[in-house]
Each structure stands twice: as C-alpha cells, then as structure tokens.
Amino acid sequence: MSDFIARPEHGIVWISGASSGIGRALALKLAGEGYKVAVTARSHEKLVELQAEASGLSGNIIVLDGDVTDAEDMEHVLASIEYEHGTLAMAILNAGIYLPVHAEDLNRADFENSFAVNLSGVVNCLLPAIRHMKAKGQGQIAIVSSVTAYGGLPTGAAYGATKAALINMAESLKFDLDKMGIRIQLISPGFVDTPTVAKSAFPMPTALVSSEEAARQIAAGLKSQAFEIAFPRRFTTMLKLARLLPYGAYFPLMNYLTRWRQRPPLDGHHPVMPHPAE
C-alpha cells in the first residue's frame, strides 16, 4: 500500500515558521495549488501580509499566531485547526533559527535558544499533530532539517546539533508512524537565499537556491514517495559523501570549503551562514 499523500480535499496543511523564507514561499506555493494552509509564526503582521498576498490564489491562507517554544500555544493552534477550520492533513514543521557559535566566545543562550526553537519547537508541534492524525488513521508530517546536519561545520555547533537530532527523530518515528498510517518525511535543504543570508557580508556558494525554488522542490517532494527531500541534489550528495571520509580527510576538506565563512568581516560582525527556515 502506498504512503498517504495529502491532497487539498483531505484537509488543512499547517506550516510553522511561515513568516519568511522557505515557510512563506511554501505557503504561497501550496495555496496556489488549491490547499487550505494554516500558517504560524510570532510575527502577526507578516502573516497577515502573507494572507493578503494569497488572496487571488485557488487555495487560501489562515493566520494562526503562535510561538513554537510554547507547548500550550501549539495545542491551541491544533485545536483551532481541527475545530474551527477543518481536518489537519499535513504538518510542515519548519520554524528554526540559526545562531552562529564560536568556541572562543561561547554563549549558553545561543545553545538554549537554538534547542528551544529548532528541537523542542518541533516536538511541541509534533505531539498534538500526531495525536490528531492518529485519531483519523492518516496524515502527513514533514520535518525541516538541513544539510548542515550531515556533519560538523564551522559555527554550526548549536544549529547543526539540533538539525542532526531532527534527522534521527524522523528516522526513529517512521517505524511506528508507518503502522499508524501517518507518513513522515525529512526535508534537508542546502543553502537557501533568505533574509538572513541577504545581510551577510560574504559571497554565497554557487549552490544557493531561491526560496521559491526551494518551495517548488519541497512541494514536489511532498507528493512523492521519498522519505528525504534534499536539494540541490549535487550539493547535498557531495556533503553526504564527504561525511563518509575519515576524520583525517573530513576536517581539512571542510576547512577548505568553508574558509570564506571563517574570515572576520570588515564590520567586525560574525558571518552568518544560510538558514533554510528564516
């Protein structure tokens, strides 16, 4: 039996972290395909602007404010979807932050905030989503990780750790969710052109893709039977293969490939690496 693939007639698509970047572009893409999309973020104004932009599309966007770090908030969002707007058919857990970590200036808050949003924030959404889907015997969940989770990279000690945990979480849950009729997928974007990246003083890699292209590839992947949706393919494959190298080769290679990110910028600020969910 094929895995469940959510269609517009099945119910609501819920996207967390939808105020900008991939989340915003994906909400517009799916609304354009006729889906009814519930969007969540802390920025009410940006969500209202997104809703207005989607007004002429075949689907529509529902604004449901909430902070993924607040478990009670996410319970309320799911209750609103189920009891006011329709059945939850798909959850795309996308909210995330990137806080660069430098060993010479470690900050506990960078780790705590990263874990709260990127890891606990996903759990806060995942629990009520699975509970509602379990009651119906079907559903689709997509968790946004990152190619930075494939192996350690400079400044990624907090961000990469959370995204690596999400990969393990999705893989581990798949065994049980398959039996429950709930399909789970992993989204592993490469470097995506987001508002955070635009402020960086550094040149971007040739593999950089737009938020719109990322949304297109994710939307296509959600309709496929693939467990992982990773893009751009050549870049993500290269990083996966690099992780198979012995450490004696891996660290020199990553130092070489990321050397431009490690140079201090002229304005004195730390460089910002691309983040898929900004």
Side-chain angles (χ1 to χ4, degrees), residues 21-22 192-199 208-209 211 273-278:
I22 285 179
V192 178
D193 190 3
T194 67
T196 293
V197 177
K199 298 174 183 178
L208 187 71
V209 299
S211 294
M273 285 179 66
H275 181 295
E278 289 287 349

Side-chain angles (χ1 to χ4, degrees), residues 4 16 63 88 106 111 125-126 133 141 143 157 198 238 246 249 262:
F4 174 76
S16 67
V63 173
L88 176 66
L106 290 176
F111 287 91
C125 299
L126 193 63
M133 291 176 180
I141 296 170
I143 295 177
M238 179 191 72
Q262 300 178 60

Side-chain angles (χ1 to χ4, degrees), residues 186-256:
L186 181 69
I187 301 173
S188 301
F191 295 127
V192 178
D193 190 3
T194 67
T196 293
V197 177
K199 298 174 183 178
S200 174
F202 289 83
M204 292 296 105
T206 56
L208 187 71
V209 299
S210 68
S211 294
E212 290 72 25
E213 173 60 18
R216 186 191 69 78
Q217 296 207 37
I218 292 170
L222 292 171
K223 300 177 186 69
S224 74
Q225 294 294 328
F227 169 70
E228 184 182 34
I229 304 167
F231 58 89
R233 182 167 297 181
R234 181 180 299 178
F235 181 64
T236 55
T237 300
M238 179 191 72
L239 286 181
K240 283 186 176 182
L241 291 175
R243 198 61 190 91
L244 298 177
L245 295 172
Y247 283 124
Y250 176 79
F251 289 120
L253 177 62
M254 289 301 109
N255 269 322
Y256 173 77

